[in-house]
Structure formats: structure tokens, C-alpha cells
Amino acid sequence: MSKKSKMFLSGVVEGFYGRPWTMSQRKELFRREQKWGLNTYLYAPKDDYKHRMYWRDLYSPEEAEQLMTLISAAKERGVELVYALSPGLDITFSNPRELAALKRKLGQVSGFGCRSFALLFDDIESEMCPADKEAFGSFAEAQVSVTNQVFLHLKEPRVFLFCPTDYCAAFCTPSVPQSAYLNTVGERLDAGIDILWTGPKVVSQDISVASIEEVSAVLRRPPVIWDNIHANDYDPQRLFLGPFKNRPTELIPKLRGVLTNPNCEYEPNFVAIHTLATWCSYAQKDVSMEGDDQGSDYNPHEALRLALTDWLVEFGRADQPDGARGGPSKPQVCDEEPMQTDGYVPGPKDNPLYTAEPLTLDDLTLLSELFYLPYEHGATAVLMLQELHWLRRHGPGPRDPPEQGKEWRQRAERFDGLCESVVQMFNRLSNAPNRLILYDLYNYICDIKSGVTMAKAYVKTLGGQTPHPALALTDDPEPWGFRGGLSGEFQRMLPSHGNRDLFRGVPDTRVYFIRPFTPTDQPEVLKIFKEMQTETQQKVELVGDRLVEGQVSPSLSCSLVLEDAAGVCGYVFALSDAKTAMTKAQYPETMLQDFPSVMAIQIHSRVPDHSTAKQLIQQTLSSLRVSGSKGVFSEFRSNDRRMFDFLKTLDVFQVLKVDGLPTNLVIMGTKL
Ligand code: GDL
């Protein structure tokens, strides 16, 4: 271990993907860090060209000027600016010109007054190029060799950090103690270099003392935690406003430091950084005082309250983004009038002027609870989910006893009240004087307001009321009725999807029935049929339509429906001799010889998994086979993609090439 006295590094790493912070945000960060007793800022914005992609390129005079100003701003605030390069995308470790490029670039930044540096090798390909394979025994050796040389070239800076490629336990094979990569780093990396570590995972829910003791033994030094607990660069719908949590303060003496890599949006990081500062304040607490200090350990709940109380004051400042309403932001005191209304005074019968209700601590607490932590929702969010879950399960049915109906109504009202408080919080936030904070929060609060409003409308529908048409949960909702875009659609198809935090492991209890069609099903069948026609908007006459519409009767055992709790959600009708349903020679004789039967099928889009629909088809195919049919075809309007894609996944049907077919028609068939 190095002989240099080592202060606990505490602060922020700007290490996320996406838009880097502005220079004025960084300077504001240093001001806050100083105020809250944090001492380090690691400059590592992933998408800054000259940090990663063009790491070799030197800074232009203008850029140099900006960096110099930043470095001295940090110094003035007593914050150590650690300048990092991420050369791992394309560096050839064995090429001396690459080493020279690293030295040249870091030398330039050293010339700007920077004294602390870092080399980061996270998120890169671990396969070495042929030249490096010849020169080094392993990837770890390559990184360590270059890093040690740069460290010596810079005259062994007091702070020099190294981020390994395996920077969390989950990346280590077969385990942390047995990782060849980490063992090499631990043995060979100069003792004056500190190592970054994100904990058990990239985003670690907990970091235990035992896990840190384990990795420190391999690294032969205590790590600096690069904490991704508040990072949100991996999901544009998430923001983390919960407290720094699940890192016991007993870790502090076992660590070299903690740097949080927080949300991409600068302003909402008030909570992340403030609560980290509260946690780090335990680094200064004298351990010998332990006896006197009993019961005063870090309390995330209390730390959050302190942070939100201070943040509330910030919301009252009339800060504007650069350039808005006449130039850069100037902090103003809360009681100053942020707007002028040009002397307009409404008459006695006019509309009164719009007045904004002030934001409250309760609003900020609710906001934080809705956007809490990656593995945990805040208390109100959990309550809302639980209530919605209950309301959905116990939706009043006609046979429910009145008491249950009463409880349902009471809970529905309470849920409505919770939703309303979210909407009111949104209103007060969007009227707060500090537009800088608002704009950083806007997409998120708008998103949650929308989500909650839809949930509120859904509960109203369950209770027999009709929500506003814009919120109607029909099969043709407005786009805010099916949220999340394409990525959301992918997500819903993956096994990890669905209420992970709250209802983990609860199986989907949806039950489907397959049963013979009865004439009473006709209205529901026609409804599904019409909806599909509206969706596809194609008017083509199909043989199968005549079966669905009841003009022609299907063959024996060839009319089935699929049913869920809400009613009929799919159907299949088939006829062994398709020709008997045709009014003209609609399809070529050659096709009908191979595929004499016809089948019409639709499954409603609310049915998420197709396994029951498969059974529906299988049963019908075997009935046709029993009737002696050689093959069956099914017709689709070419933009009825859902059913077309579904039949393709069965791997039973093929698209038939039929001469003279209209372009908006697709025929699929299978031999029996
Ligand atoms: C990572 C990246 C980091 C990113 C974070 C969260 C490290 C060491 N590297 O793996 O840049 O912001 O995940 O997505 O954490």
C-alpha cells in the first residue's frame, strides 16, 4: 500500500452515456460539493469526443481555455478534478505511438493545471488484437503495463484512478477471488494507483462490507466505489430521486472513496449528491466517539428529508436556462416576483389572473417516491401499485356481496385521491419559478402524470363510469394508451417484464377456454371481425368472411371460440370444401386441389401469449384431417400483420403463390 496519506475521495463522477453536463453546471456542482463537504469530481463523460472516441486528439485553444477555467473553478472550491481518458475502444497497447499519444494528451491537460488523472477501461471489447496478443500474456497485463507507464510519466500523481474492464463482481469469471484478470491487476498495478469498482453488479442494489473485503484482498488495495445507484442513462423513462442507500457506513474505513455516477440530467441530482454527502459525513466522524454517538448512524429516510428541504429552496429561485428571457441564469431570491404581467389588471367580471400554488415539501417527497431507486419504489408508489392491483383483482362483479362493493368503492376513491395528488404535484412543479430544474424534470413528470391519469381512468371504468374519451381504454386508444414505443413492445415480450419490484414471481393467472362456437357468441365474434377490418382498413371479399358472418355454415367440429374473463377473444371457423362457399371461381383449381379447405381465424390483440391460440388451430386442423381434407388455406388482408405473423411463427403454414391474387391479399396454406 502507498505511503502517501490518503484522504477519502468523495463526490461525483460524470461518467454516464449521453449529453455531457455544461461547463456552468459543472461549476455549480463544485459550489455544491464544497458546501456539502465533498472533495472530488471525476471528469469522464462517455460521449464527449475527446474523452473516449477521439481520445488521442489534443484540445483546441478554445477548448483548452474552457478546461483551464474548469480546473481552476474546481480548485477554488476545494474540489479535486480528476481528468479521465477512456482509450479502450481502439488502443493498441503494444504500439509505442499509442503510449506516446496517451502521455501527450494527459500531458496537455496537466499543462492546464490538472493534477489528478484516470484511465478507464470499462465497457470495451476484451478480445486483444493480434499485435497485443503477441506482446502481452493477457488483457490485464496490457492495461496494467500502459497504465503504470503513464502513471510514472505523470510523476506519480497523488490521485490516479484505474477502471478495470471487469469492474463489478458479476463480470468476474469464475468469481472475484478466482478472477485471473483482477488478480493480475491487483498484483501488477502500481500501488499508488487506485481502482474503481461498482460493487456486486453494474448497478448494485447493496454493497456489503464482506463483498468489499473480498475484492480488496484481490486488488490489494481498498477500491474507490463508482456508484451507479442513481445512474439513469440505460432507461429514458427512469430518474432516481431516492436517497443514497444500502451501503453501510461501516464500509467507509474499508474504502478509498465513493463517487456517484448519477442521473444524466444535472439538476435532479440534488438528492443523489446531497444524500451521498450526508453519508460521507460519517467518514469524518471519529470512531472513538462511537459510544457517545450510538443510534446516530446514517438514516436514508432522514438524509432524504434534509436533501428535499434544501432542494425546495432551489425551486423557489427564478433560474432560467442560458439565453432564455434575456441571457444566462441569474439566481434570484425567492420572494422576488419572477414574472411581470405588463400591468394587466382583470376587470371584476374578467377571468382572474392565473396564480400558481407554491410547491411544498410534500410535493417533493411524493416526487422522490415516484422516482425512487432502481430496485425500489418509494412508499406512495408502492401503495398506488398495491391498490391498483387489488382494485383490478376485486373489480365489482354483478354477484359480489354489497360489503365487498363498498370496500371496493372506498379503495377506488382513495386511489383516485392518490392519482389526483400526483397531478396536483405536477401542476405546482410546472409553475415553480426555477425553470432550470423544471426542464430537467419535465419529461419524467409528464410521463408519470400520463401513466397515473390512465390508471385513474381505468379504475373509473372498472367502477362502471365512463372516462373522458381521450382516456378511454378501448382497443383503439390514443398513443398515450399504449406507452413505451417499440422498445416497450420488445420489453413486454421478454420474460423479465412485469411488476418486478412489487409482484415478483406472481404468475399470470389469466385462464383461457377453448369451446365450440354457439349462436349466442355471434355478436362478440362479429365485433372482433369488424375491429380487425377497421384496423386493416382493407375491403376485400374473402371466402373465410362468409363463415364468420354466418352466410355459410362451418364443417362439423370446425367452429371454436377462445374465451377469457372478459368474453370471447378469438375464433376459428373452417370448411372442408371451400368451393361450396364460393360464389365464383375465386381461386385457381390447382390451388384448391392441394388445399381444398378454408379456415378463418382471428385472435384479439388483448391476448398476450399465443399458446392457447395455437391449440385452437391445432384442434381445428385435426378435425379437418378427420373429415378427409388434404390441405387447408387461410386468407389474410395483407396488412393484418398480427395474424399473419402469428401463423408464420407456428411454422406450419406457408405463404402460397397464387396467380392473379389481388396485391392486398395473402394466402397461407398447410397440407394435412
Ligand atoms: C456502466 C458504465 C457507465 C454507465 C453505467 C450505467 C461503469 C464503470 N461504466 O457500466 O459509464 O453510466 O454503466 O449505465 O459503470
Side-chain angles (χ1 to χ4, degrees):
M1 193 145 316
S2 159
K3 287 185 254 27
K4 290 182 279 189
S5 82
K6 293 197 162 181
M7 148 188 94
F8 186 81
L9 303 179
S10 61
V12 174
V13 43
E14 184 183 337
F16 46 81
Y17 291 87
R19 179 197 284 259
W21 291 332
T22 63
M23 288 297 178
S24 50
Q25 287 173 328
R26 290 169 182 149
K27 286 175 201 162
E28 174 57 25
L29 170 68
F30 303 154
R31 198 185 63 77
R32 286 182 187 167
E33 288 204 65
Q34 181 183 44
K35 190 166 167 199
W36 301 337
L38 298 170
N39 57 35
T40 305
Y41 162 72
L42 173 55
Y43 174 90
K46 280 276 188 302
D47 285 304
D48 175 296
Y49 259 166
K50 293 190 178 177
H51 160 71
R52 194 166 64 117
M53 187 152 176
Y54 296 114
W55 60 270
R56 298 174 189 83
D57 292 8
L58 295 179
Y59 288 107
S60 68
E62 297 77 46
E63 291 164 338
E65 181 68 37
Q66 289 206 323
L67 262 180
M68 275 190 270
T69 314
L70 193 71
I71 291 163
S72 46
K75 260 187 206 138
E76 277 166 30
R77 298 288 181 186
V79 171
E80 192 63 36
L81 187 151
V82 185
Y83 176 86
L85 274 189
S86 286
L89 286 180
D90 60 0
I91 186 172
T92 299
F93 292 91
S94 53
N95 188 331
R97 287 173 55 202
E98 296 282 73
L99 181 61
L102 275 178
K103 290 178 179 170
R104 187 170 56 238
K105 178 72 170 278
L106 294 179
Q108 186 193 28
V109 179
S110 168
F112 301 159
C114 184
R115 293 287 159 263
S116 300
F117 298 91
L119 283 181
L120 312 181
F121 296 103
D122 55 322
D123 296 357
I124 56 169
E125 203 42 69
S126 57
E127 179 71 17
M128 286 192 287
C129 63
D132 286 346
K133 274 189 190 151
E134 278 171 29
F136 299 106
S138 69
F139 198 37
E141 278 177 37
Q143 293 177 359
V144 163
S145 156
V146 161
T147 307
N148 284 345
Q149 292 180 71
V150 170
F151 177 65
L152 293 179
H153 172 79
L154 293 168
K155 310 214 166 42
E156 307 188 27
R158 275 169 69 87
V159 178
F160 193 101
L161 308 177
F162 168 87
C163 183
T165 305
D166 294 351
Y167 52 81
C168 61
F171 288 4
C172 294
T173 41
S175 64
V176 170
Q178 288 169 282
S179 154
Y181 174 89
L182 277 197
N183 276 288
T184 305
V185 170
E187 280 161 24
R188 310 229 182 135
L189 193 71
D190 193 293
I193 301 175
D194 288 301
I195 302 176
L196 291 156
W197 182 251
T198 66
K201 299 206 288 176
V202 177
V203 179
S204 297
Q205 182 168 15
D206 305 85
I207 302 181
S208 69
V209 171
S211 76
I212 291 305
E213 285 171 347
E214 178 182 65
V215 72
S216 302
V218 180
L219 298 177
R220 303 179 182 209
R221 71 206 84 196
V224 176
I225 296 295
W226 165 312
D227 208 321
N228 286 323
I229 185 176
H230 286 97
N232 71 342
D233 54 0
Y234 51 84
D235 184 347
Q237 281 191 310
R238 300 224 261 175
L239 180 76
F240 300 110
L241 306 176
F244 188 74
K245 207 179 160 187
N246 297 334
R247 283 87 174 117
T249 47
E250 290 76 37
L251 279 176
I252 296 174
K254 305 196 177 262
L255 292 173
R256 167 81 171 96
V258 179
L259 304 176
T260 181
N261 176 38
N263 298 288
C264 302
E265 295 80 4
Y266 170 72
E267 291 292 342
N269 286 318
F270 197 94
V271 177
I273 303 170
H274 195 292
T275 55
L276 172 68
T278 305
W279 188 87
C280 288
S281 66
Y282 287 82
Q284 279 103 49
K285 297 230 158 99
D286 187 350
V287 259
S288 63
M289 302 253 300
E290 241 169 81
D292 310 334
D293 242 11
Q294 273 190 5
S296 70
D297 194 10
Y298 174 78
N299 173 343
H301 198 257
E302 180 55 18
L304 178 64
R305 200 188 58 78
L306 291 175
L308 295 178
T309 307
D310 286 354
W311 202 22
L312 185 62
V313 178
E314 296 290 313
F315 275 93
R317 294 156 59 114
D319 285 3
Q320 296 287 321
D322 285 357
R325 297 208 310 126
S329 59
K330 273 199 212 83
Q332 293 179 15
V333 279
C334 339
D335 52 4
E336 212 170 292
E337 181 65 56
M339 299 280 172
Q340 277 135 33
T341 48
D342 284 336
Y344 173 73
V345 180
K349 289 189 181 167
D350 292 346
N351 257 334
L353 279 182
Y354 185 81
T355 45
E357 276 182 43
L359 192 67
T360 64
L361 186 59
D362 283 347
D363 286 328
L364 288 189
T365 308
L366 175 60
L367 177 69
S368 157
E369 287 179 342
L370 299 179
F371 294 95
Y372 204 65
L373 289 172
Y375 299 99
E376 186 183 352
H377 296 307
T380 309
V382 172
L383 178 68
M384 290 180 83
L385 289 173
Q386 277 169 339
E387 286 303 291
L388 182 58
H389 190 65
W390 187 91
L391 289 164
R392 210 174 52 168
R393 286 191 140 211
H394 301 87
R399 285 180 297 276
D400 287 338
E403 293 90 316
Q404 192 192 352
K406 189 171 164 218
E407 183 185 1
W408 195 92
R409 279 196 305 279
Q410 280 173 346
R411 290 177 78 159
E413 225 166 85
R414 185 157 83 127
F415 183 76
D416 193 78
L418 289 167
C419 294
E420 197 45 37
S421 60
V422 174
V423 175
Q424 292 310 324
M425 179 266 289
F426 170 86
N427 291 339
R428 287 189 284 267
L429 265 178
S430 45
N431 289 321
N434 194 324
R435 310 317 275 174
L436 278 183
I437 312 182
L438 174 72
Y439 297 157
D440 270 0
L441 288 174
Y442 200 83
N443 283 346
Y444 300 100
I445 57 175
C446 194
D447 189 46
I448 193 67
K449 183 185 85 163
S450 240
V452 156
T453 307
M454 292 305 293
K456 186 174 139 138
Y458 172 58
V459 171
K460 285 225 172 339
T461 316
L462 286 180
Q465 298 178 38
T466 316
H468 187 278
L471 304 173
L473 297 161
T474 61
D475 297 315
D476 181 25
E478 294 283 354
W480 47 87
F482 50 98
R483 312 172 63 74
L486 178 62
S487 172
E489 295 198 36
F490 282 128
Q491 185 66 29
R492 281 188 283 276
M493 291 169 80
L494 305 181
S496 65
H497 175 70
N499 300 329
R500 278 184 62 77
D501 305 313
L502 194 61
F503 306 117
R504 199 187 297 241
V506 174
D508 187 353
T509 50
R510 222 186 283 228
V511 175
Y512 296 95
F513 298 101
I514 295 174
R515 59 166 178 79
F517 167 86
T518 66
T520 51
D521 296 324
Q522 189 65 9
E524 287 189 272
V525 163
L526 282 180
K527 196 164 164 247
I528 298 175
F529 176 66
K530 293 266 156 54
E531 272 172 24
M532 174 273 298
Q533 279 192 323
T534 328
E535 266 173 42
T536 58
Q537 289 180 347
Q538 280 184 350
K539 300 263 171 287
V540 219
E541 295 272 314
L542 306 183
V543 183
D545 291 356
R546 314 193 72 215
L547 292 170
V548 182
E549 289 174 320
Q551 288 144 302
V552 177
S553 301
S555 301
L556 192 67
S557 312
C558 286
S559 53
L560 298 172
V561 291
L562 186 66
E563 192 178 41
D564 65 10
V568 173
C569 53
Y571 59 75
V572 60
F573 295 103
L575 180 65
S576 353
D577 185 2
K579 265 203 254 178
T580 59
M582 293 184 196
T583 47
K584 53 180 188 249
Q586 210 165 333
Y587 298 120
E589 198 55 40
T590 45
M591 170 189 137
L592 295 171
Q593 268 164 16
D594 286 341
F595 305 96
S597 307
V598 63
M599 185 177 85
I601 175 163
Q602 269 302 319
I603 308 293
H604 197 277
S605 55
R606 73 168 183 261
V607 180
D609 100 281
H610 280 159
S611 56
T612 41
K614 279 184 192 169
Q615 286 175 28
L616 194 70
I617 292 179
Q618 273 154 1
Q619 280 192 31
T620 314
L621 294 184
S622 53
S623 299
L624 286 172
R625 198 177 296 123
V626 169
S627 75
S629 172
K630 279 164 53 190
V632 57
F633 70 92
S634 201
E635 310 143 288
F636 295 99
R637 287 158 178 90
S638 56
N639 54 3
D640 183 7
R641 280 235 67 97
R642 196 159 38 85
M643 289 318 300
F644 177 63
D645 288 346
F646 164 57
L647 274 209
K648 271 204 313 201
T649 61
L650 286 184
D651 250 2
V652 173
F653 287 81
Q654 288 94 42
V655 175
L656 303 184
K657 284 209 181 83
V658 182
D659 291 337
L661 209 61
T663 47
N664 53 2
L665 191 58
V666 178
I667 308 245
M668 294 183 89
T670 182
K671 297 265 173 72
L672 293 168

